[in-house]
Amino acid sequence: MSATTVLTCRALLLDMDGTLVNSDAVVERVWRRWADRHGLDGDEVMKVVHGRQGYASMALLLPGRPIAQNHAENAWMLEQETADVEGVVPVPGAGEFLGSLVAGGVPHALVTSADVALSTARMGAAGLGLPDVRVTAECVGASKPDPEGFLKGAAELGVEPGDCVVFEDSGAGIQAGRAAGMRVVGVGDRARVHGPDVVVPDLTSVRVAVDGGVVRLYVG
């Protein structure tokens, strides 16, 4: 049996794709079609796209292409992803985990590289309620791995960055959480190689308790 790690904090900042929602099937379909269209290796593309906004992935994969073109194509890609929810399911334990945060009055926010339409579609397809506080693509000027989204989430919750714990699955997201000065719980195998503070296979391995405004996370 693995040991349990206990983290104390005052708020949680939650990524969506790969953390609360398993949308890998859609991401694979849409981005491999994009790779084919641009003559790129699909496997190499999939190593880049998780966690980032689409325009930021395109900038890495097609260096030198005008940023305006990346933003324009990203808008089209977001429409494709929003319309395709086949295979979108909750990460195991996500519903119960979110329910425990609401029941316990735990300050928490969704911090996602998806826009409002995509995050609403995917959370709905997975049968998960949206947190009251949400930092989406429209809210930031820089994509993960920039820490802007997590810092905005902490500010909206009125909590210092060092008192927040991030839940993330991707390298870009874990890097963003660390750059924000936060501890990071990695979710799933994709997170393991990027050095989060602790890794869980899914959210069935996380329990939350609250005492006097202090949140205790029992992880593992």
Side-chain angles (χ1 to χ4, degrees):
M1 180 181 296
S2 61
T4 298
T5 299
V6 181
L7 301 175
T8 59
C9 61
R10 292 192 174 274
L12 306 183
L13 302 176
L14 313 173
D15 175 52
M16 182 182 71
D17 292 300
T19 301
L20 298 174
V21 170
N22 183 343
S23 57
D24 282 0
V26 181
V27 175
E28 288 271 345
R29 283 194 295 271
V30 172
W31 278 97
R32 285 186 182 276
R33 286 198 300 266
W34 182 88
D36 289 343
R37 193 160 56 247
H38 291 283
L40 299 175
D41 182 277
D43 291 339
E44 294 304 312
V45 168
M46 296 314 301
K47 292 177 183 178
V48 171
V49 299
H50 292 290
R52 292 179 171 85
Q53 291 190 44
Y55 77 86
S57 296
M58 293 171 191
L60 292 173
L61 293 162
L62 296 173
R65 191 168 82 153
I67 190 66
Q69 193 172 345
N70 292 338
H71 278 285
E73 192 170 29
N74 183 50
W76 180 81
M77 290 283 283
L78 284 169
E79 291 178 3
Q80 303 303 302
E81 291 188 84
T82 301
D84 183 355
V85 294
E86 183 178 352
V88 174
V89 295
V91 167
E96 295 81 359
F97 176 63
L98 287 171
S100 72
L101 301 185
V102 174
V106 177
H108 63 286
L110 186 72
V111 181
T112 175
S113 293
D115 64 4
V116 169
L118 181 57
S119 58
T120 301
R122 285 189 177 162
M123 292 288 280
L128 301 175
L130 283 162
D132 290 338
V133 178
R134 301 184 288 277
V135 179
T136 59
E138 296 93 339
C139 301
V140 297
S143 170
K144 299 172 185 176
D146 191 283
E148 181 184 359
F150 287 126
L151 292 172
K152 282 199 169 184
E156 289 203 28
L157 293 172
V159 177
E160 290 296 317
D163 288 329
C164 296
V165 169
V166 166
F167 281 70
E168 264 285 0
D169 74 300
S170 71
I174 291 167
Q175 186 179 340
R178 287 201 173 283
M182 302 171 182
R183 289 155 294 160
V184 182
V185 176
V187 180
D189 289 338
R190 191 157 50 227
R192 193 173 303 277
V193 299
H194 298 290
D197 293 276
V198 61
V199 181
V200 292
D202 55 47
L203 294 172
T204 63
S205 300
V206 183
R207 186 169 62 85
V208 181
V210 186
D211 182 13
V214 176
V215 180
R216 286 185 172 81
L217 297 171
Y218 296 88
V219 184

